[in-house]
Amino acid sequence: IYVGWQLNTKLNGGGSKISGLSIDYNQPLNFVPKIGKFFYLRANVTRLHLEGEHGADFTNFIPRAGNIGLTYNRLPVNIKLNYNYRGPQKLSTQSAINGFQYYAERKYFDLNAEYSFSKRATLFINGRNITNYPQDRVNLGNNIDYSRMNQVEEFGVQWAVGIKGQF
């Protein structure tokens, strides 16, 4: 249409299909004497499978993910520690290697803590990726010379601190 311009678009092929399984589990730890009533265990696992025509675009799809968390809740304190798993994520086609660029799988911990001063005011601190686990970008394809890690991203630990209030 315009000289010097190129139009790119994404396509979900007509024969595309996503199937899979997601399992959630929540368990109060009441069976632990004395302190168990204050603890909860939570887990989630998701596994997805793609089927589609060659032209289908599944960029940014994450086929495997999961997390497990332990919560301590005894007013006025609430503390949650979560272990998170994020499977590989396809980012883009890499023609030089006849393959794709991916984010490699990633494992990290999150921590959330709250202290309630009253029913209307709560102090909180939330930490994401508290072990500062990096995110690796990898090229995977048929050309072995170019199939390798090509970038490591370190975001640092992300903290949020504040007061929640109800008026």
Side-chain angles (χ1 to χ4, degrees), residues 30 34-41 70-81 112-116:
N30 300 5
K34 297 184 182 180
I35 62 167
K37 63 184 175 182
F38 304 113
F39 287 91
Y40 304 86
L41 183 66
L70 182 65
T71 300
Y72 171 77
N73 189 15
R74 182 174 184 186
L75 292 176
V77 175
N78 183 299
I79 301 171
K80 297 176 185 174
L81 178 66
N112 301 321
E114 295 183 348
Y115 182 85
S116 296

Side-chain angles (χ1 to χ4, degrees), residues 88 94 97-102 138-143 146-148:
Q94 299 292 304
I97 60 170
N98 193 22
F100 297 93
Q101 187 173 70
Y102 288 85
V138 181
N139 291 331
L140 298 174
N142 294 336
N143 187 335
Y146 292 100
S147 294
R148 59 184 163 75

Side-chain angles (χ1 to χ4, degrees), residues 8-75:
N8 295 319
T9 185
K10 295 183 179 190
L11 169 73
N12 281 336
S16 301
K17 179 180 174 183
I18 299 175
S19 59
L21 178 67
S22 183
I23 299 171
D24 289 305
Y25 180 76
N26 293 294
Q27 175 68 52
L29 301 181
N30 300 5
F31 55 87
V32 177
K34 297 184 182 180
I35 62 167
K37 63 184 175 182
F38 304 113
F39 287 91
Y40 304 86
L41 183 66
R42 184 189 65 71
N44 173 275
V45 176
T46 301
R47 177 71 170 109
L48 301 173
H49 178 70
L50 291 175
E51 297 175 46
E53 299 170 3
H54 182 68
D57 185 353
F58 294 116
T59 304
N60 295 320
F61 182 76
I62 303 171
R64 295 185 309 272
N67 55 64
I68 185 166
L70 182 65
T71 300
Y72 171 77
N73 189 15
R74 182 174 184 186
L75 292 176

Side-chain angles (χ1 to χ4, degrees), residues 62-150:
I62 303 171
R64 295 185 309 272
N67 55 64
I68 185 166
L70 182 65
T71 300
Y72 171 77
N73 189 15
R74 182 174 184 186
L75 292 176
V77 175
N78 183 299
I79 301 171
K80 297 176 185 174
L81 178 66
N82 288 319
Y83 168 80
N84 303 289
Y85 169 79
R86 223 179 113 117
Q89 178 181 6
K90 183 170 78 169
L91 298 173
S92 62
T93 303
Q94 299 292 304
S95 57
I97 60 170
N98 193 22
F100 297 93
Q101 187 173 70
Y102 288 85
Y103 279 133
E105 69 178 19
R106 189 167 178 229
K107 303 166 189 165
Y108 58 95
F109 286 91
D110 294 337
L111 177 67
N112 301 321
E114 295 183 348
Y115 182 85
S116 296
F117 295 107
S118 68
K119 289 182 179 182
R120 295 181 176 257
T122 301
L123 173 68
F124 70 88
I125 181 167
N126 298 330
R128 182 161 169 84
N129 191 20
I130 62 173
T131 54
N132 197 20
Y133 192 87
Q135 181 167 280
D136 299 333
R137 194 179 288 225
V138 181
N139 291 331
L140 298 174
N142 294 336
N143 187 335
I144 295 173
D145 295 333
Y146 292 100
S147 294
R148 59 184 163 75
M149 181 176 336
N150 73 342

